[in-house]
mmCIF file of all heavy atoms in Angstrom:
data_model
loop_
_atom_site.group_PDB
_atom_site.id
_atom_site.type_symbol
_atom_site.label_atom_id
_atom_site.label_comp_id
_atom_site.label_asym_id
_atom_site.label_seq_id
_atom_site.Cartn_x
_atom_site.Cartn_y
_atom_site.Cartn_z
ATOM 1 N N MET A 1 52.378 139.915 59.528
ATOM 2 C CA MET A 1 53.627 140.517 59.123
ATOM 3 C C MET A 1 54.058 141.532 60.174
ATOM 4 O O MET A 1 53.293 142.441 60.503
ATOM 5 C CB MET A 1 53.471 141.195 57.754
ATOM 6 C CG MET A 1 53.788 140.304 56.582
ATOM 7 S SD MET A 1 52.728 138.850 56.511
ATOM 8 C CE MET A 1 51.158 139.584 56.118
ATOM 9 N N LEU A 5 60.898 149.116 62.808
ATOM 10 C CA LEU A 5 61.335 150.332 62.122
ATOM 11 C C LEU A 5 62.418 151.049 62.919
ATOM 12 O O LEU A 5 62.319 151.179 64.140
ATOM 13 C CB LEU A 5 60.151 151.288 61.928
ATOM 14 C CG LEU A 5 58.913 150.714 61.225
ATOM 15 C CD1 LEU A 5 57.817 151.763 61.179
ATOM 16 C CD2 LEU A 5 59.260 150.223 59.838
ATOM 17 N N THR A 10 61.468 155.265 56.405
ATOM 18 C CA THR A 10 60.305 155.483 55.538
ATOM 19 C C THR A 10 60.139 154.399 54.473
ATOM 20 O O THR A 10 59.142 154.399 53.752
ATOM 21 C CB THR A 10 60.414 156.839 54.830
ATOM 22 O OG1 THR A 10 61.604 156.867 54.026
ATOM 23 C CG2 THR A 10 60.451 157.981 55.840
ATOM 24 N N GLN A 47 42.368 152.996 53.460
ATOM 25 C CA GLN A 47 41.727 152.291 52.350
ATOM 26 C C GLN A 47 42.486 151.037 51.902
ATOM 27 O O GLN A 47 42.090 150.397 50.932
ATOM 28 C CB GLN A 47 41.564 153.245 51.160
ATOM 29 C CG GLN A 47 40.748 154.485 51.466
ATOM 30 C CD GLN A 47 39.361 154.157 51.981
ATOM 31 O OE1 GLN A 47 38.710 153.237 51.459
ATOM 32 N NE2 GLN A 47 38.896 154.880 52.990
ATOM 33 N N ALA A 58 60.179 149.426 72.995
ATOM 34 C CA ALA A 58 61.522 149.831 73.381
ATOM 35 C C ALA A 58 62.459 149.710 72.184
ATOM 36 O O ALA A 58 62.352 148.768 71.394
ATOM 37 C CB ALA A 58 62.017 148.971 74.541
ATOM 38 N N ALA A 62 65.212 143.420 68.407
ATOM 39 C CA ALA A 62 64.685 142.260 69.123
ATOM 40 C C ALA A 62 63.457 142.642 69.943
ATOM 41 O O ALA A 62 62.424 141.961 69.899
ATOM 42 C CB ALA A 62 65.762 141.658 70.014
ATOM 43 N N SER A 63 63.545 143.732 70.702
ATOM 44 C CA SER A 63 62.416 144.171 71.526
ATOM 45 C C SER A 63 61.213 144.534 70.670
ATOM 46 O O SER A 63 60.065 144.200 71.002
ATOM 47 C CB SER A 63 62.831 145.375 72.382
ATOM 48 O OG SER A 63 63.838 145.025 73.305
ATOM 49 N N ARG A 100 51.281 124.924 55.651
ATOM 50 C CA ARG A 100 52.586 124.269 55.783
ATOM 51 C C ARG A 100 52.750 123.622 57.150
ATOM 52 O O ARG A 100 52.102 123.999 58.131
ATOM 53 C CB ARG A 100 53.710 125.275 55.552
ATOM 54 C CG ARG A 100 53.849 125.701 54.095
ATOM 55 C CD ARG A 100 55.084 126.569 53.911
ATOM 56 N NE ARG A 100 55.319 126.890 52.507
ATOM 57 C CZ ARG A 100 56.059 126.161 51.693
ATOM 58 N NH1 ARG A 100 56.630 125.056 52.141
ATOM 59 N NH2 ARG A 100 56.235 126.529 50.430
ATOM 60 N N LEU A 118 78.822 143.463 41.455
ATOM 61 C CA LEU A 118 79.293 142.245 42.115
ATOM 62 C C LEU A 118 78.292 141.678 43.122
ATOM 63 O O LEU A 118 78.536 140.611 43.708
ATOM 64 C CB LEU A 118 80.628 142.506 42.804
ATOM 65 C CG LEU A 118 81.831 142.686 41.869
ATOM 66 C CD1 LEU A 118 83.046 143.174 42.642
ATOM 67 C CD2 LEU A 118 82.151 141.377 41.167
ATOM 68 N N LEU A 133 73.702 125.506 54.421
ATOM 69 C CA LEU A 133 74.055 125.533 55.837
ATOM 70 C C LEU A 133 72.844 125.723 56.740
ATOM 71 O O LEU A 133 72.959 125.594 57.962
ATOM 72 C CB LEU A 133 75.080 126.650 56.106
ATOM 73 C CG LEU A 133 76.401 126.553 55.336
ATOM 74 C CD1 LEU A 133 77.303 127.731 55.690
ATOM 75 C CD2 LEU A 133 77.107 125.239 55.637
ATOM 76 N N PRO A 145 55.301 129.510 63.014
ATOM 77 C CA PRO A 145 54.098 129.582 63.843
ATOM 78 C C PRO A 145 54.382 130.334 65.145
ATOM 79 O O PRO A 145 55.475 130.229 65.722
ATOM 80 C CB PRO A 145 53.774 128.108 64.122
ATOM 81 C CG PRO A 145 54.434 127.354 63.018
ATOM 82 C CD PRO A 145 55.691 128.115 62.723
ATOM 83 N N HIS A 195 79.622 151.914 51.311
ATOM 84 C CA HIS A 195 80.820 151.575 52.085
ATOM 85 C C HIS A 195 81.817 150.710 51.324
ATOM 86 O O HIS A 195 82.865 150.347 51.881
ATOM 87 C CB HIS A 195 80.409 150.869 53.379
ATOM 88 C CG HIS A 195 79.487 151.678 54.237
ATOM 89 N ND1 HIS A 195 79.876 152.842 54.872
ATOM 90 C CD2 HIS A 195 78.172 151.516 54.542
ATOM 91 C CE1 HIS A 195 78.864 153.344 55.552
ATOM 92 N NE2 HIS A 195 77.811 152.561 55.365
ATOM 93 N N SER A 208 79.399 137.004 60.500
ATOM 94 C CA SER A 208 78.601 135.782 60.429
ATOM 95 C C SER A 208 79.336 134.601 61.059
ATOM 96 O O SER A 208 78.746 133.808 61.805
ATOM 97 C CB SER A 208 78.248 135.458 58.982
ATOM 98 O OG SER A 208 77.464 136.491 58.416
ATOM 99 N N GLN A 219 75.650 130.303 73.113
ATOM 100 C CA GLN A 219 76.288 131.414 73.824
ATOM 101 C C GLN A 219 75.890 132.744 73.192
ATOM 102 O O GLN A 219 75.435 132.799 72.063
ATOM 103 C CB GLN A 219 77.813 131.266 73.781
ATOM 104 C CG GLN A 219 78.340 129.981 74.393
ATOM 105 C CD GLN A 219 79.822 129.780 74.146
ATOM 106 O OE1 GLN A 219 80.436 130.489 73.344
ATOM 107 N NE2 GLN A 219 80.410 128.808 74.832
#
Side-chain angles (χ1 to χ4, degrees):
M1 269 60 68
L5 306 177
T10 60
Q47 302 303 319
S63 296
R100 288 187 175 270
L118 288 170
L133 301 179
H195 302 293
S208 298
Q219 301 171 349

